[in-house]
Amino acid sequence: MIIRLKNVSYCWPGQQQPTLNIPSLEVEKGEHLFLHGPSGSGKTTLLNLLTGINTPQSGQLEILETDIAKLSESKRDRFRADHLGVIFQQFNLLPYLSVLDNVLLSCDFSKTRLEKAGNAVETAKQLLLDMEISGDLLHSKVSSLSMGQQQRVAVARALIGNPEVIIADEPTSALDTDNRDRFLDLLFTESDKHGSTLIFVSHDTQIQHRFNRMVSLATINNVDNASDNNQINHNQADAK
Ligand SMILES: Nc1ncnc2c1ncn2[C@@H]1O[C@H](COP(=O)(O)OP(=O)(O)O)[C@@H](O)[C@H]1O
Ligand SMILES: [Mg+2]
């Protein structure tokens, strides 16, 4: 099991009620998991726990058999840099850096990722090509690219050095249908190449059929505003 949550509860500072109270969630190696929930239901809060940006007040949360809440803040940062490829909702690209340098950042922050990337510059260039970012854009400031292109740069940055887990927070929200489908093709192809596990968060249920498994946050989250008539939906036809 790559990810294992048991009785995880998280309450934002100053809030009366916990945002999350999750009795159980497990994700297997290589799974493409679609985590669905309406706006404000706690999807990003959950991803913040998975990435160790925040830590739960109670419960166990293991990623790659590591209880990340027990690590010091600096060890958590290192763990994230070494093992997780994160595509943030707002991309978090550095606007003043070039396209290429934004992708190489992942290797600057992690020796593990740098070693796994081989020739990092060549690997970054290939990933960008795979993401349909043409070579003449490599040295452009990333802020001069379109939203769709920036999204794909953020994916290349998440994928370089083959992290075991890819976590994506609503990465398709700014894309039209054609671009969204192509984007998903690229993301799946690249994550499958290295057997990476993909946790993909979205409120857009039109794309859920492309994933191995769909989990509704309302179903797994035991808080007052959670509805109890949603079902965990195993998309057997797409399972592989
Ligand atoms: N930085 C924050 N500080 C305090 N409360 C927050 C913060 N971010 C989110 N929350 C609370 O958590 C709830 C869930 O937010 P979020 O995880 O961003 O939902 P989603 O990603 O599903 O739209 C919000 O309604 C809000 O009450
Ligand atoms: Mg969110």
Side-chain angles (χ1 to χ4, degrees):
M1 212 58 70
I2 288 281
I3 294 174
R4 194 193 298 269
L5 275 72
K6 194 98 196 128
N7 299 325
V8 163
S9 148
Y10 183 80
C11 187
W12 282 102
Q15 299 260 359
Q16 303 295 317
Q17 301 286 333
T19 297
L20 296 176
N21 184 5
I22 300 179
S24 172
L25 175 66
E26 297 190 337
V27 186
E28 284 177 43
K29 180 176 177 357
E31 243 189 311
H32 295 173
L33 181 78
F34 183 82
L35 183 68
H36 161 258
S39 186
S41 60
K43 302 184 297 297
T44 298
T45 304
L46 176 55
L47 294 191
N48 286 348
L49 298 185
L50 294 178
T51 54
I53 290 170
N54 295 121
T55 52
Q57 281 91 9
S58 61
Q60 285 93 49
L61 190 158
E62 282 180 17
I63 303 196
L64 301 165
E65 298 181 351
T66 303
D67 185 342
I68 54 171
K70 293 215 174 94
L71 301 178
S72 66
E73 198 171 337
S74 63
K75 288 224 169 90
R76 274 206 307 280
D77 290 344
R78 167 117 330 276
F79 183 87
R80 182 185 321 120
D82 286 346
H83 302 292
L84 309 180
V86 186
I87 305 160
F88 293 95
Q89 202 159 359
Q90 314 298 337
F91 316 151
N92 289 12
L93 298 168
L94 295 188
Y96 50 88
L97 289 184
S98 72
V99 166
L100 187 60
D101 285 343
N102 264 282
V103 175
L104 289 170
L105 272 182
S106 299
C107 296
D108 295 340
F109 289 133
S110 164
K111 232 172 104 192
T112 305
R113 299 270 292 271
L114 178 64
E115 278 164 12
K116 282 163 85 182
N119 182 330
V121 172
E122 287 310 312
T123 304
K125 285 181 178 169
Q126 186 58 51
L127 271 170
L128 285 162
L129 267 184
D130 293 348
M131 286 291 144
E132 300 178 347
I133 303 290
S134 63
D136 54 326
L137 291 175
L138 290 178
H139 300 288
S140 305
K141 262 199 201 171
V142 76
S143 53
S144 68
L145 271 55
S146 75
M147 275 306 160
Q149 287 169 327
Q150 290 190 36
Q151 234 147 0
R152 299 201 300 276
V153 174
V155 175
R157 186 183 58 180
L159 291 168
I160 194 166
N162 318 328
E164 290 92 331
V165 182
I166 313 283
I167 292 181
D169 196 356
E170 311 244 16
T172 53
S173 49
L175 302 180
D176 60 37
T177 311
D178 281 354
N179 277 316
R180 186 187 69 193
D181 290 342
R182 277 224 318 274
F183 173 89
L184 286 174
D185 290 340
L186 293 169
L187 182 61
F188 289 156
T189 307
E190 292 297 328
S191 49
D192 282 349
K193 263 189 203 166
H194 304 285
S196 301
T197 305
L198 176 65
I199 313 285
F200 188 102
V201 158
S202 179
H203 64 269
D204 178 6
T205 48
Q206 280 178 10
I207 52 176
Q208 73 182 53
H209 68 279
R210 303 207 46 190
F211 291 77
N212 302 140
R213 180 155 68 111
M214 194 280 262
V215 169
S216 160
L217 188 54
T219 306
I220 60 163
N221 193 17
N222 255 342
V223 294
D224 281 350
N225 63 354
S227 115
D228 55 16
N229 52 14
N230 287 308
Q231 296 289 320
I232 292 180
N233 172 7
H234 293 264
N235 282 330
Q236 296 297 357
D238 287 75
K240 50 183 170 162

